[in-house]
Amino acid sequence: QVQLVESGGGLVQPGGSLRLSCAASGGVFSGNAMGWYRQAPGKQRELVAAIITGGSTNYVDSVKGRFTISRDNAKNTVYLQMNSLKPEDTAVYFCNANLITYSSSRYVNVWGQGTQVTVSS
C-alpha cells in the first residue's frame, strides 16, 4: 500500500546536523506541495518546511537559514537537511505528501510514521 517512510532521525549534539529522508512507495508524488512537520510532546504539530512543484520553499521562522527542504521526484523522496541544530528542534518529525497510487490511481494525502530527532549534549 501507499506509504511514506522517514529515516535519518536520531540523537545529535547542539550545532550538529542531520538529514531526514522521506521515501514514498506505492505511488508517485502529486499535488503542488509537500513538506515536513514536527511535534514536540504536549505541543501542536507545526509546519516546518514546505516545497511546491515549481521549487519554491517556505520555512517557519525558527528554522530559516538552518534547514533546507528538497525533493527528488525520480526517487520519490523528500529531504530535510538540518544544520546548526538546537535543543528546541527536538521533536518527532513527520513528512507529508500527496500521492497518486500505483494500484488504483487514487489521489491520497499521506503522512509518514514520524522519526524522532533529539538534540542534546
Side-chain angles (χ1 to χ4, degrees):
Q1 293 185 347
V2 63
Q3 190 176 26
L4 295 176
V5 179
E6 295 109 332
S7 62
L11 176 65
V12 65
Q13 294 183 336
S17 298
L18 287 173
R19 189 179 76 157
L20 305 183
S21 298
C22 175
S25 62
V28 297
F29 289 129
S30 185
N32 291 328
M34 57 196 75
W36 287 92
Y37 293 73
R38 68 185 180 188
Q39 187 169 21
K43 296 185 178 180
Q44 293 182 330
R45 187 174 300 184
E46 68 171 347
L47 177 65
V48 178
I51 185 167
I52 64 174
T53 302
S56 296
T57 57
N58 191 34
Y59 302 91
V60 67
D61 286 344
S62 61
V63 309
K64 287 181 178 177
R66 300 188 297 118
F67 290 12
T68 303
I69 186 172
S70 62
R71 70 186 189 278
D72 187 333
N73 289 333
K75 296 181 179 180
N76 272 348
T77 302
V78 182
Y79 304 96
L80 185 67
Q81 178 67 46
M82 304 184 294
N83 299 325
S84 301
L85 283 162
K86 304 175 180 179
E88 50 263 45
D89 296 318
T90 297
V92 178
Y93 285 71
F94 301 86
C95 63
N96 177 259
N98 297 310
L99 304 176
I100 299 294
T101 67
Y102 294 134
S103 61
S104 62
S105 297
R106 279 182 161 268
Y107 181 85
V108 295
N109 182 263
V110 183
W111 288 89
Q113 81 287 350
T115 185
Q116 177 70 48
V117 172
T118 302
V119 185
S120 176
S121 60

